[in-house]
Amino acid sequence: MRSGIIRDCPAAELIPGDVVYLHFGDKVPADIVIFNSGELRVDASSITGESDPIEKFPIHLPQSEHINPLEASNLILNGMVINTGEAYGIVVRTGDNTVLGHLSHQSNSERRSRSPLSFEVSKFCKKLSLFAFVTALFFFVISLLLGSRGSGTSKMTIFAASLHFGIGILVAFVPQGLPLTVTMLLTIAGRRMAERRVLVKDLHGVETLGAITLLATDKTGTLTRNQMHVVKIWADMKVWNASDKETVDHEIKFGKNFKEKKELLSDKRKSESLKTVRLDVVGVPQILHMGAACTRARFNRVDVPLVDRTIIGDATDAGLFLFSASKLQNVDKISEMYPKVFEIPFNLETKTHVTIHRKGHRDGGLTLFVKGAPEIVFDICSTILVSTNASVGKGIGEAIPITEKSRSAFKDTCDILAKDGLRVIAFAQLLLPGHRYPDNYRFSLETKNFPLV
């Protein structure tokens, strides 16, 4: 936060005293003391090795100066990852001065082990050197004995000739082409890996990759750019393309088995065109409003065109919010039109993100939005929004009870989209009845006086 404005800042530019805001999915860029937080849990496995999330919260009472940083409940360390919640804090240490920096210094001071290839080459050279020395010594002795039987030749001359002969044999054993051969083989392997889009900065890395049997890595931010975009929407029992360009895709209708659906999606010859999502499709306006309201993502500024803005937030929230902003004309006023009165941030236990807004309807003035894991969201729903003969082209639809056919269609669609490598997010809304939840109703996370508990 600089000059009262929250903006993305490289970790290298942080200095002690900076105020930072962190939320779900962020990696802590420095050692930070928390002064305000909400449902904050962090993953400290990179430092402590503990797999379970650790709860962190601000402490306003003075503490001992000798407290262990790893045990301080109001301190989050560089390298930790925010699992749930959000927090505001003040930077106290950066770079090599952080706890992670000290650990890195200690690990770098350890003796670096050689790679398997270096070890094998060194072992081969030692054996070859020993064999060459023994062979040269053997021929030196043989030459010395044979030369001493001759006549007319001094012993010094015989010794010098035998020594030269032994040294020649010793030098002949030196594998002068070995470094060139190893480098050439590693280069060829590196080129083959480059053809498969694997970039290797060190040639010895090629040999290391060839020796491993299992590679475990974090996909997000490592193998991907940690950027998400909405590509498909399932609404009104059909799959629609979220992109504006006309692409081919086939709708999924309930009542067919899973195999038939998969064949329809994969067979381009049977697919239909002009399946781009429209705002008059039942369920699409509701998804757009929930994507813009039930979120913690936001633009860094609203006084410039959409293409010139930078979005701040979790990758999933940012992708949904950006898609809603591209379809809705009043996305900057959503927070004013439908003020948020209550929120339960996404966490790994509930796998949902819940918000309650002042959005009126005929039965009351509050509306609950929820998004999250499809199986969780669908299980708490009793109705599904579909189009009727009277609502075609109006985008309104009718909420009908969930049947086995609709449940099967939802599950099969999620399976198909997930098999295509897509992250599937489900949306639902609940029109809170005014007689039970009036406009001045106070929701509390401690007493859990809200639905979905």
Side-chain angles (χ1 to χ4, degrees):
M1 179 180 293
R2 300 284 173 84
S3 302
I5 300 176
I6 298 179
R7 65 180 182 87
D8 287 333
C9 178
E13 297 181 5
L14 290 176
I15 59 175
D18 278 344
V19 177
V20 296
Y21 166 73
L22 300 169
H23 59 89
F24 169 75
D26 286 343
K27 186 176 182 180
V28 181
D31 289 353
I32 300 172
V33 174
I34 305 168
F35 63 83
N36 187 11
S37 66
E39 299 293 323
L40 180 64
R41 290 179 178 270
V42 298
D43 178 10
S45 59
S46 60
I47 298 177
T48 63
E50 299 179 5
S51 58
D52 295 333
I54 301 175
E55 184 178 3
K56 296 288 185 177
F57 49 87
I59 295 180
H60 301 287
L61 298 177
Q63 290 186 332
S64 171
E65 296 181 357
H66 302 287
I67 189 171
N68 188 345
L70 298 177
E71 299 176 356
S73 59
N74 64 335
L75 180 65
I76 52 179
L77 305 178
N78 182 21
M80 293 183 176
V81 179
I82 307 298
N83 268 13
T84 61
E86 61 181 355
Y88 289 88
I90 299 177
V91 177
V92 292
R93 291 192 183 98
T94 60
D96 294 337
N97 296 324
T98 62
V99 174
L100 184 63
H102 291 306
L103 295 176
S104 176
H105 176 72
Q106 293 177 1
S107 62
N108 290 334
S109 61
E110 295 291 331
R111 184 178 179 181
R112 186 175 181 181
S113 60
R114 294 181 299 176
S115 66
L117 179 62
S118 300
F119 178 78
E120 292 296 333
V121 171
S122 177
K123 185 178 179 180
F124 170 75
C125 291
K126 289 180 180 179
K127 291 182 178 180
L128 184 64
S129 299
L130 179 61
F131 181 74
F133 178 78
V134 173
T135 303
L137 182 62
F138 173 76
F139 280 101
F140 168 73
V141 174
I142 295 298
S143 177
L144 196 62
L145 294 176
L146 293 177
S148 61
R149 296 180 179 179
S151 59
T153 306
S154 64
K155 294 183 178 181
M156 184 61 65
T157 303
I158 296 174
F159 178 82
S162 301
L163 181 63
H164 291 166
F165 179 66
I167 294 176
I169 293 178
L170 182 64
V171 173
F173 271 93
V174 176
Q176 299 180 0
L178 180 61
L180 178 61
T181 303
V182 173
T183 303
M184 181 179 64
L185 293 177
L186 291 177
T187 304
I188 295 174
R191 182 178 179 181
R192 291 179 179 177
M193 297 183 67
E195 294 175 353
R196 300 186 179 185
R197 299 184 179 181
V198 178
L199 180 60
V200 180
K201 295 188 295 183
D202 186 4
L203 287 180
H204 288 284
V206 177
E207 184 270 336
T208 303
L209 289 175
I212 63 176
T213 57
L214 174 65
L215 177 62
T217 179
D218 178 20
K219 179 187 71 173
T220 306
T222 305
L223 303 180
T224 65
R225 299 174 60 187
N226 197 24
Q227 296 180 1
M228 295 190 178
H229 305 278
V230 179
V231 294
K232 293 184 184 297
I233 293 180
W234 188 72
D236 195 20
M237 300 295 179
K238 303 178 182 66
V239 172
W240 306 84
N241 288 312
S243 58
D244 292 332
K245 60 184 180 180
E246 185 174 307
T247 56
V248 291
D249 193 10
H250 202 286
E251 65 184 36
I252 301 178
K253 299 180 179 179
F254 65 90
K256 294 179 178 290
N257 59 46
F258 179 81
K259 184 177 180 180
E260 291 176 346
K261 295 187 184 78
K262 190 171 183 180
E263 290 177 352
L264 289 176
L265 283 179
S266 60
D267 193 351
K268 299 297 183 181
R269 293 171 296 181
K270 299 180 181 179
S271 61
E272 300 175 353
S273 60
L274 197 59
K275 290 297 178 182
T276 302
V277 67
R278 305 186 309 270
L279 294 180
D280 60 349
V281 175
V282 172
V284 172
Q286 290 81 356
I287 292 177
L288 294 177
H289 280 90
M290 284 186 280
C294 183
T295 183
R296 291 196 168 187
R298 61 192 178 278
F299 291 117
N300 61 336
R301 53 192 304 182
V302 296
D303 57 342
V304 295
L306 187 63
V307 294
D308 297 329
R309 302 181 187 181
T310 300
I311 193 167
I312 302 174
D314 173 68
T316 303
D317 280 353
L320 295 171
F321 186 71
L322 188 62
F323 176 71
S324 299
S326 65
K327 300 295 182 180
L328 300 176
Q329 296 181 353
N330 57 349
V331 67
D332 295 330
K333 300 181 180 179
I334 289 291
S335 59
E336 300 177 3
M337 297 171 56
Y338 312 123
K340 186 186 302 181
V341 298
F342 182 72
E343 181 177 17
I344 304 177
F346 178 86
N347 60 76
L348 297 178
E349 296 179 1
T350 62
K351 297 183 180 180
T352 56
H353 183 186
V354 181
T355 57
I356 299 178
H357 301 263
R358 296 191 184 278
K359 183 179 181 182
H361 48 88
R362 63 182 182 181
D363 294 331
L366 299 177
T367 302
L368 182 145
F369 294 152
V370 57
K371 75 173 190 290
E375 65 277 7
I376 303 298
V377 175
F378 196 81
D379 285 344
I380 62 178
C381 294
S382 59
T383 60
I384 186 170
L385 192 64
V386 297
S387 61
T388 60
N389 294 332
S391 63
V392 174
K394 298 181 180 179
I396 302 176
E398 179 182 355
I400 63 173
I402 294 177
T403 62
E404 271 311 310
K405 289 185 178 181
S406 57
R407 185 183 301 274
S408 176
F410 178 84
K411 182 180 182 302
D412 291 344
T413 303
C414 291
D415 291 341
I416 293 173
L417 297 178
K419 287 181 180 295
D420 288 340
L422 302 178
R423 173 175 290 182
V424 185
I425 306 294
F427 291 86
Q429 70 173 10
L430 176 63
L431 306 180
L432 301 181
H435 66 275
R436 184 176 178 182
Y437 302 100
D439 292 348
N440 59 351
Y441 188 86
R442 288 185 175 272
F443 298 93
S444 173
L445 189 61
E446 288 75 16
T447 59
K448 297 184 178 180
N449 57 347
F450 50 86
L452 304 175
V453 296

